[in-house]
Amino acid sequence: MPRATRAAKATGPARSIRTGALLSAALLTITAAAATGCTHTGRPQAAASAPGPAGGTRSAAPDPKLDWKSCPPPSAGEDNGGAAKAPGRDWECATLHAPLDYTHPDGEKIGIAMIRAKATDPAHRIGSLVFNFGGPGGSGVTTLPAFAEDYRNLRTRYDLVSFDPRGVGRSSGVRCLDDKELDAYYAADSTPATKPEQTALVGRVEAYAAACRQHSGKVLPYVGTTNAARDMDLMRQALGDDKLHYFGVSYGTELGGVYAHLYPKNVGRALLDAVVDPSSDPVQSALAQARGFQLALGNYMSACPQTSDNCPTERSITDLLDRLGKQPIPATGGGTGTGSPTPGTGGTGGTGGAGGGRELTRSLATSGIAQALYSKDFWDYLTEGVEDAENGDGRILLSLADAMNGRNQDGHYSSLQASLNAVTCADFAQRYTAEDIEPKVADFRKASPVFGDFMAWSLLQCTGWPVKGEWQTPDVSAKGAAPMLVVGNTGDPATPYEGARTMARELGEGVGIEMTYRGQGHGAYDSGNPCVKGAADAYLLDGKVPEPNKVCS
């Protein structure tokens, strides 16, 4: 599925998680990118680490100040968090100019788009609180204003700040295929059952990678998490903060861990919510996600009879997916009249939306079902969507799939999935073939009869990628850093609960402080649970570190 992100809840993204990143090769996970700087083999190299002082890598000096101005409205196809207009007058936008290649800090620059709303109680202001909502590929510039009400209490003492990481959205967002080509790409079969189908899938993935290189090759070698962490330290300096106060969600927890490893002395108060397991390679991550989404599906089915008399079963869902694999169903018409499966986006159909003569395929239905498991708020849409699909109407599940894939109602795609793929493939060195994956499919099916095949074949997402990956797994050890609050949700499908314990351990003794939320959906802070929010706010606002292993229900 994707790597992981709050954006998946807002607009359809999930590093929503990286590989296997359940809908990554075909979806959330989001799709692809390309490269520059070729070696003698013709394949671009990832940027090397810039040496620096102990406890960090060398940073280039930031601009003397950020030139804050009113924010422009979202452009066509932008990952806009449900917003159709520019943020209100409380919000300001600026561009941070960072080195494209940190090994040449005085060379070409890349613009990092930023947004902020100033603290409402400036007399008690702590500093800036920088948000990353995950993906990788989610736009912070559009997501933070869309969800700012959730962080109103934090805004009393912090300037709320977010950004589009390099290769995302307004920061040279990665582009690969055009909208029509992406419609076909996400609809195509992503669970091959025969050798010819495997060959066709590999061909599509390699063609996607080639398109990413053609359209975004200049930035592809430089969009990895290490460079994004370096950008955050430039951001800290440009904001005038001695320490980076940070709120990372989903993939944003991995970014926060990498930052803490590079700059342990610069860590302020940091909350990591919906935690990525930093010890897992792509196969392990994909398997864990398969189990996580299967667990979330089971939790949904157990709760469904409380609100509906027409609840699906695992068998009915697998039967539906099998039928769609043989014969897609129509998803035509403008809107279903049921509201929107993603907050603030209007209806589920509409011009260029789920209608327009498109069909619901097995791949799109799987994506839509996965999207609905990111939040309990989507469960009723899943019930209705499956029932409608069984009756030949694919509009609701297609709308959910569009949210996952970053397709707006006007039919334009954001850079969400392309950026996710680009960052994932710049980070991870593993490159899998169909021959590598085929023997693993049985284990994935055992982990999840519904999502297993999809997750397994999503491991192809970096096949043919024109940039080499940096690591096998990221190093997040952060000896000497301030305590960082690490919150895991026992019912999280995209970032399974066990990842929080691993992250806390790998950050180091006295650094990673684990807290557990016994809940459902992706993440904990925005669940509405008063125990989680109270503990997190006390930490971020007052520096009160919860007792280790605190549990909220």
Side-chain angles (χ1 to χ4, degrees):
M1 180 98 256
R3 262 166 139 182
T5 179
R6 164 69 186 267
K9 295 171 68 174
T11 61
R15 213 173 184 256
S16 239
I17 300 191
R18 290 193 204 234
T19 155
L22 173 65
L23 300 175
S24 181
L27 141 180
L28 186 93
T29 74
I30 312 180
T31 32
T36 104
C38 297
T39 68
H40 65 282
T41 64
R43 302 181 72 82
Q45 295 278 47
S49 296
T57 35
R58 183 180 65 219
S59 289
D63 287 348
K65 66 176 184 177
L66 294 165
D67 185 13
W68 294 102
K69 298 179 180 179
S70 59
C71 297
S75 59
E78 189 170 358
D79 173 14
N80 63 10
K85 300 178 181 179
R89 286 180 293 178
D90 285 352
W91 295 92
E92 303 172 299
C93 288
T95 299
L96 176 76
H97 298 285
L100 177 65
D101 180 352
Y102 272 91
T103 64
H104 299 286
D106 297 323
E108 185 174 355
K109 299 296 191 289
I110 186 171
I112 307 300
M114 297 177 59
I115 192 167
R116 77 171 177 186
K118 291 183 178 179
T120 56
D121 184 5
H124 297 94
R125 179 180 176 275
I126 296 170
S128 303
L129 183 62
V130 177
F131 288 77
N132 181 279
F133 295 98
S139 167
V141 168
T142 54
T143 301
L144 181 57
F147 290 92
E149 184 64 21
D150 292 352
Y151 313 114
R152 179 175 55 179
N153 197 35
L154 298 176
R155 189 184 167 193
T156 57
R157 302 190 63 196
Y158 286 104
D159 296 346
L160 303 186
V161 177
S162 194
F163 64 106
D164 287 0
R166 53 176 59 213
V168 174
R170 299 179 186 179
S171 301
S172 300
V174 172
R175 294 286 176 178
C176 302
L177 304 177
D178 64 27
D179 294 333
K180 184 176 181 180
E181 290 168 333
L182 285 171
D183 277 346
Y185 185 78
Y186 290 128
D189 179 22
S190 298
T191 55
T194 65
K195 290 292 184 182
E197 290 175 352
Q198 291 178 18
T199 300
L201 174 58
V202 170
R204 287 194 300 274
V205 172
E206 290 179 338
Y208 185 95
C212 295
R213 179 172 185 169
Q214 177 183 355
H215 297 295
S216 297
K218 181 177 180 179
V219 301
L220 290 187
Y222 308 110
V223 298
T225 298
T226 296
N227 280 337
R230 292 171 179 145
D231 293 342
M232 288 205 302
D233 204 59
L234 286 188
M235 200 176 301
R236 173 192 64 79
Q237 297 172 59
L239 290 166
D241 292 334
D242 293 333
K243 303 286 185 179
L244 179 75
H245 304 297
Y246 181 72
F247 193 132
V249 183
S250 197
Y251 158 77
T253 65
E254 183 176 288
L255 175 58
V258 170
Y259 178 88
H261 173 69
L262 294 175
Y263 306 102
K265 302 300 184 183
N266 295 346
V267 174
R269 298 171 189 173
L271 173 65
L272 306 184
D273 182 14
V275 186
V276 172
D277 186 338
S279 70
S280 293
D281 65 22
V283 171
Q284 293 165 334
S285 294
L287 259 177
Q289 276 199 316
R291 297 187 189 101
F293 277 92
Q294 189 68 31
L295 172 66
L297 182 65
N299 292 338
Y300 151 74
M301 289 188 294
S302 295
C304 181
Q306 300 173 23
T307 59
S308 175
D309 295 327
N310 296 299
C311 296
T313 63
E314 180 183 295
R315 177 61 181 271
S316 68
I317 288 175
T318 55
D319 286 349
L320 172 63
L321 294 176
D322 286 344
R323 291 198 299 274
L324 292 172
K326 299 179 178 70
Q327 182 62 56
I329 61 173
T332 57
T336 63
T338 59
S340 168
T342 50
T345 59
T348 57
T351 303
R358 298 166 68 206
E359 292 183 318
L360 181 70
T361 65
R362 175 174 182 151
S363 293
L364 290 168
T366 306
S367 300
I369 293 167
Q371 168 69 16
L373 297 175
Y374 272 87
S375 171
K376 290 177 68 175
D377 294 342
F378 298 172
W379 284 4
D380 286 345
Y381 293 107
L382 178 54
T383 303
E384 187 172 356
V386 171
E387 181 181 7
D388 285 359
E390 290 175 331
N391 292 321
D393 182 351
R395 283 178 290 177
I396 292 178
L397 288 185
L398 183 58
S399 292
L400 287 163
D402 286 348
M404 175 73 83
N405 290 328
R407 187 185 196 270
N408 293 340
Q409 288 192 328
D410 58 6
H412 292 299
Y413 285 86
S414 73
S415 68
L416 174 68
Q417 297 292 354
S419 300
L420 181 150
N421 239 68
V423 176
T424 298
C425 300
D427 283 350
F428 285 94
Q430 294 88 339
R431 301 291 185 261
Y432 300 103
T433 66
E435 290 71 27
D436 295 327
I437 295 169
E438 190 172 18
K440 297 178 172 63
V441 172
D443 290 338
F444 277 82
R445 287 176 182 163
K446 183 177 180 180
S448 174
V450 174
F451 302 108
D453 281 52
F454 205 90
M455 295 295 295
W457 290 106
S458 75
L459 290 166
L460 287 172
Q461 73 181 116
C462 295
T463 298
W465 202 252
V467 175
K468 291 184 178 180
E470 179 181 353
W471 59 50
Q472 297 292 314
T473 59
D475 190 344
V476 299
S477 59
K479 184 178 181 180
M484 302 171 67
L485 184 56
V486 179
V487 187
N489 179 351
T490 57
D492 197 317
T495 49
Y497 168 68
E498 295 76 14
R501 179 151 299 172
T502 304
M503 176 68 81
R505 182 180 67 245
E506 294 210 356
L507 286 169
E509 186 176 357
V511 179
I513 308 299
E514 184 183 4
M515 187 168 84
T516 296
Y517 169 50
R518 299 191 184 282
Q520 303 297 331
H522 187 40
Y525 186 90
D526 294 313
S527 67
N529 181 272
C531 172
V532 171
K533 202 156 194 173
D537 285 0
Y539 164 68
L540 290 171
L541 294 170
D542 302 316
K544 295 179 180 177
V545 179
E547 68 273 16
N549 303 313
K550 178 180 177 65
V551 177
C552 292
S553 299

